[in-house]
Amino acid sequence: MDDLQVRHQNQWIDVPSAGSSSNKYRGLNGRRYVIVYAATVLFEFVKWRQPACLGQARKVEFKYCLAMKQSIDHMTLSLESLLEGLLLFLNDSEHQSNYSLMFIEMIMENESMDLIRIPRCFVHPPENVLKSSSKSSKISHKVPIIDFEGFESCRRSEVHLAGVKRFHEQPQEAKAELYSRDPKQKVKLFYGGVVLTKESAVWRDTVAINFQDGELDPELYPEILREELSEYTKHMTKISKTLSELISEALGLRCDYLSSIECMDTQALACNYYPVCPEPDLTVGTTKHTDPSFLTILVQDNMGGLQVHRQNQWVDVPPLQGALVVNIGDFMQLEFQNLCRTLSDATLITNDKFRSVEHRVLAQEVGPRISVACFFFPGAANKFKPYGVIKELLSDDTPMIYRATHLAEFMGQYMSTGSSISVLSPFKVTRPC
Ligand SMILES: O=C(O)CCC(=O)C(=O)O
Ligand SMILES: [Fe+2]
């Protein structure tokens, strides 16, 4: 066993001796893929934290069982069969992203361990991590601030953020029943971000709440957060109505235009927790992306780290007490064509008049950082309603850029394209030159 190596990402990696074969591990249902996953966890654990303690590895594997919500039939597997599975698994590149995800769940569950290096599934290519910000750039961009004095502001946001922190800082056992990556699950907890493609994982834990197919149901919120989230979503609904009027007017439309097309009737939430990161120069909290929504309203705490991409520069979005960050999504860009571009292709409606904004969150050595993003989409009743460019925004000088689409098609495109790539291009209209 001592000489065993596996080939992974063009490198031969030693598989350290795992002790005698009397070390037994509990497996799940005996199904091959589960055996292979378990072996991978073990392998990563051994490799990353030397000298690895197999006792801990066993614990990790058990917790992973919880995370997968599979029934555990207490079948025991020998270490050899786990390692054999590992070899098969690593040879099959199709599984690599799952393997990373699974490892993330495992790492995050070991909060008590002193992390001095981040596991490699979190390491991003240098261009993702470049820290250039407004401070180092020649042109100094500032995020515009609109004073909503007199309007019920976000004063209560601190309470909501405290609730999110409280949720994430519970013992793992208390959160385990929410672990899921099932797109159909309305309320779920996952680690490492939405890894839709083979991207690296991000340094973030998320509780995602998504009732796009119906009304928000507070009964399904985690109990520890229920009251705060219910209040928060009501608050967001109120603010979104005001914003919808202001954006309509900014587009030169009557103030009830956006509410009349019902493009912001549903909310989805991401309650984010960015743990302290021991190697912030190697990873990110959230990779560069545009949101697929129509509009996103974000509340962040005072840790900083959020940046928007503007004219090839990363510009800090400094925390401001009581402030809400408002992002235009891709779906709005579609409708307004030239105005914006933020929520994943919701921008279609504005024909680029409002452009969705590329943004990201840096990983930091200080923290944790907490944020809650509230994404607005058309409601379930309008899932198949065609949304196209607002006719009033078209002229000879501003021809149609995007064809009409509906939310179902749009989100399907988003899921298949990957989280960090704008979804808008397939909806572009090709015109004769
Ligand atoms: O945490 C943040 O500040 C941003 C999060 C974000 O961009 C998202 O959840 O889409
Ligand atoms: Fe975002």
Side-chain angles (χ1 to χ4, degrees), residues 174-425:
K175 301 184 283 183
E177 63 168 2
L178 272 185
Y179 292 152
S180 174
R181 288 192 176 271
D182 180 352
K184 292 195 212 77
Q185 186 150 326
K186 295 180 164 60
V187 179
K188 60 184 173 242
L189 165 69
F190 51 85
Y191 299 128
V194 183
V195 186
L196 295 174
T197 58
K198 299 214 156 95
E199 296 162 1
S200 304
V202 295
W203 203 257
R204 186 185 77 206
D205 306 353
T206 305
V207 175
I209 298 181
N210 193 338
F211 287 85
Q212 269 186 51
D213 286 328
E215 293 283 297
L216 289 169
D217 178 3
E219 284 306 303
L220 295 180
Y221 299 167
E223 208 184 329
I224 192 169
L225 256 179
R226 192 169 297 150
E227 216 174 289
E228 276 135 327
L229 280 186
S230 308
E231 201 199 321
Y232 182 76
T233 50
K234 281 189 210 134
H235 190 48
M236 286 294 121
T237 306
K238 219 167 153 188
I239 292 173
S240 74
K241 291 204 161 54
T242 308
L243 287 175
S244 136
E245 289 178 11
L246 292 174
I247 295 169
S248 299
E249 284 180 4
L251 286 166
L253 304 165
R254 50 172 222 275
C255 66
D256 66 345
Y257 188 93
L258 287 179
S259 72
S260 75
I261 63 170
E262 300 171 331
C263 52
M264 286 172 64
D265 283 7
T266 300
Q267 297 177 27
L269 299 180
C271 306
N272 299 311
Y273 182 93
Y274 298 87
V276 168
C277 181
E279 293 186 297
D281 294 340
L282 296 182
T283 189
V284 284
T286 297
T287 28
K288 171 172 117 173
H289 68 287
T290 55
D291 294 339
S293 53
F294 187 84
L295 191 79
T296 304
I297 303 179
L298 179 99
V299 179
Q300 60 169 337
D301 68 8
N302 59 2
M303 296 309 296
L306 175 64
Q307 296 186 317
V308 293
H309 202 223
R310 176 111 177 106
Q311 294 178 341
N312 252 343
Q313 291 171 30
W314 282 108
V315 179
D316 294 328
V317 182
L320 190 64
Q321 208 180 2
L324 301 164
V325 178
V326 178
N327 287 342
I328 287 162
D330 287 342
F331 204 69
M332 190 192 301
Q333 180 170 343
L334 180 107
E335 290 193 52
F336 301 165
Q337 273 193 47
N338 289 307
L339 281 178
C340 50
R341 230 190 120 221
T342 296
L343 289 162
S344 79
D345 286 70
T347 43
L348 291 170
I349 305 175
T350 55
N351 208 28
D352 272 356
K353 195 167 184 195
F354 279 174
R355 308 207 48 151
S356 58
V357 62
E358 280 181 329
H359 54 289
R360 70 174 185 183
V361 180
L362 300 175
Q364 300 185 99
E365 252 165 336
V366 288
R369 173 181 186 271
I370 320 288
S371 73
V372 179
C374 181
F375 307 98
F376 289 89
F377 292 94
N382 290 324
K383 200 169 165 186
F384 296 101
K385 170 178 166 169
Y387 282 97
V389 178
I390 296 169
K391 301 283 176 304
E392 288 85 340
L393 300 177
L394 296 176
S395 69
D396 287 347
D397 296 335
T398 51
M400 186 186 290
I401 299 175
Y402 302 106
R403 69 169 171 83
T405 182
H406 50 62
L407 190 67
E409 183 191 27
F410 188 78
M411 291 312 288
Q413 183 66 37
Y414 174 67
M415 297 305 282
S416 65
T417 309
S419 56
S420 62
I421 302 158
S422 172
V423 211
L424 285 172
S425 48

